[in-house]
Amino acid sequence: MIDWSKVGFGYIKTNTMVCTHFKDGKWGPVESRTDDNITISGLSASLHYGLHCFEGLKAFKCKDGKIRIFRPEENAKRMIRSAEYLGIAAPTEEMFVEMVKQVVAENADFIPPHETGASLYIRPTLIGVGPQLNLIPSVESIFMVLVLPVGAYADGIDNPIKTVISRQYDRAAQRGSGAFKVGGNYAAAMVPDVKAKKVGYQGVLYLDPKEQKYIDEFSSSNFFAIKDNTYITPESTTILPSITNKSLEQVAKDLGYKVERRRIPLEELSTFEEVGECGTAVVITPVGQIDDKPTIEGAEVTASYNFGTNCGPVSRKLYNHLIGIQRGEIEDKYNWCTVL
Ligand SMILES: Cc1ncc(COP(=O)(O)O)c(C=O)c1O
């Protein structure tokens, strides 16, 4: 019996994972496995050349007893784009969604009960496999979908975080992989995140890699700000197109706010009423402080932007509305949820 109050982001063995192997130009049958260990060649291009991409989405057990999966088609489309970028075979949108539904159904008893506010995190992963030394895209790949119950971050919305701008590191190059969900982007953001945590920050904010003049995004979430009844989020070719952000833009419009997706110069930070991170993991995390420093770990702070110690009213409204849709408590007028 799982003690749901203790579930965080740690590993819990679930019933199954599902996977399929692309070989000789076609996908094989979908297998459901109770063992989440896989065997691949030590010469696989995913291990040597980073031919790997993944996705993250969630399923919720709702008050009406139904299970809802939030916008899996959007994750499928994004994985197809990531695979095209890497030059490896992608699952079709239909395969992706069917495998997500299958693994959620097979692990329904690992979806936390509604009242816990927790959810089932779904991790579709695509890796280039097969022995090769050549620096060419893999001709073989494995597409697998794994799940893990994850805790609620119910108090996350009440606790604005302190973040720091990265002046030493970029997470992606100007014409690089930033807009794709490939493993390498996360490798590049790992050390800056560790350094930031060591000196008391809970997030790292990246600027555009060309000029360091415009706001890009955080290491694993998009940036948004609120000013004059307007939801503002960066237009940039080096950020991941967040599905949460896209959904929040729609929710903001529906709630009567203006929405602007445009370049955001760093100087504009001082004019914002509210700032937040958005992404699948927590939907919205309010940002209370952003420090600009020559180095993440150094003592010198060249500027500090403050947005208060409480979540702003607009961020909270958007958060409540979006989680209401995800949990089947607010009308899902765009059919975002796949109901099992
Ligand atoms: C770099 C990055 N940006 C943004 C996001 C948020 O995207 P989504 O809302 O699709 O989870 C994520 C997390 O998935 C991310 O890793």
Side-chain angles (χ1 to χ4, degrees):
M1 193 63 197
I2 300 173
D3 179 354
W4 297 110
S5 65
K6 295 211 169 70
V7 172
F9 239 141
Y11 176 73
I12 291 173
K13 173 78 184 76
T14 57
N15 292 333
T16 58
M17 61 105 125
V18 295
C19 63
T20 173
H21 193 158
F22 183 87
K23 204 174 174 182
D24 301 326
K26 59 180 191 308
W27 289 102
V30 174
E31 282 178 56
S32 168
R33 297 192 189 171
T34 53
D35 186 0
D36 53 32
N37 291 289
I38 58 165
T39 302
I40 59 170
S41 166
L43 285 169
S44 292
S46 49
L47 301 177
H48 299 269
Y49 309 131
L51 291 185
H52 156 243
C53 59
F54 66 101
E55 276 302 325
L57 65 161
K58 281 183 169 178
F60 304 88
K61 218 170 240 174
C62 303
K63 239 189 212 156
D64 59 7
K66 295 186 175 139
I67 294 166
R68 284 178 174 78
I69 307 171
F70 191 65
R71 306 193 79 172
E73 305 80 9
E74 290 293 320
N75 294 90
K77 289 188 185 111
R78 194 166 65 185
M79 175 165 271
I80 292 166
R81 287 184 42 244
S82 298
E84 273 168 10
Y85 174 78
L86 296 172
I88 58 178
T92 63
E93 187 177 321
E94 192 191 2
M95 259 173 79
F96 182 105
V97 173
E98 283 309 309
M99 284 173 69
V100 165
K101 283 162 69 178
Q102 180 180 340
V103 78
V104 170
E106 289 177 0
N107 293 283
D109 39 334
F110 285 91
I111 311 177
H114 172 75
E115 55 289 358
T116 62
S119 55
L120 188 74
Y121 185 81
I122 308 162
R123 172 51 62 88
T125 306
L126 177 67
I127 54 174
V129 297
Q132 73 171 69
L133 266 187
N134 299 348
L135 202 45
I136 54 165
S138 295
V139 290
E140 263 186 70
S141 46
I142 289 177
F143 173 55
M144 54 195 165
V145 189
L146 301 106
V147 292
L148 202 61
V150 290
Y153 292 91
D155 60 345
I157 193 71
D158 295 318
N159 293 308
I161 58 166
K162 200 174 138 186
T163 64
V164 61
I165 292 172
S166 171
R167 292 284 184 179
Q168 290 156 290
Y169 305 95
D170 294 318
R171 63 176 279 283
Q174 191 200 343
R175 284 175 286 265
S177 56
F180 306 98
K181 204 162 170 71
V182 299
N185 294 345
Y186 298 84
M190 207 67 85
V191 164
D193 261 8
V194 170
K195 285 188 173 183
K197 281 206 180 82
K198 252 192 202 153
V199 292
Y201 295 103
Q202 292 102 43
V204 176
L205 178 61
Y206 290 90
L207 303 179
D208 78 276
K210 184 181 180 198
E211 298 180 277
Q212 295 227 307
K213 271 192 178 168
Y214 301 95
I215 292 169
D216 247 1
E217 67 171 332
F218 297 96
S219 33
S220 58
S221 52
N222 271 184
F223 173 101
F224 75 89
I226 307 292
K227 176 168 78 172
D228 301 331
N229 286 319
T230 308
Y231 178 95
I232 306 163
T233 196
E235 173 76 63
S236 166
T237 54
T238 47
I239 66 173
L240 190 76
S242 154
I243 295 157
T244 313
N245 199 0
K246 187 174 169 181
S247 310
L248 286 169
E249 285 176 294
Q250 188 59 54
V251 167
K253 275 185 207 156
D254 292 351
L255 295 180
Y257 298 99
K258 275 186 275 170
V259 171
E260 291 177 5
R261 189 177 272 264
R262 58 167 169 82
R263 305 215 83 180
I264 302 177
L266 183 58
E267 309 83 77
E268 200 179 346
L269 264 187
S270 59
T271 69
F272 291 140
E273 295 151 18
E274 299 176 30
V275 166
E277 292 193 7
C278 64
T280 293
V282 276
V283 181
I284 285 179
T285 306
V287 171
Q289 184 175 332
I290 302 175
D291 285 352
D292 195 358
K293 302 169 77 180
T295 64
I296 290 174
E297 64 274 38
E300 188 191 344
V301 178
T302 46
S304 187
Y305 305 89
N306 289 279
F307 307 100
T309 51
N310 295 309
C311 176
V314 180
S315 301
R316 189 178 290 273
K317 232 190 237 175
L318 296 173
Y319 173 83
N320 285 337
H321 199 93
L322 189 54
I323 66 163
I325 295 172
Q326 292 179 331
R327 291 164 194 275
E329 286 158 18
I330 288 180
E331 189 199 351
D332 179 16
K333 62 180 183 183
Y334 301 108
N335 287 321
W336 283 342
C337 298
T338 290
V339 183
L340 286 198

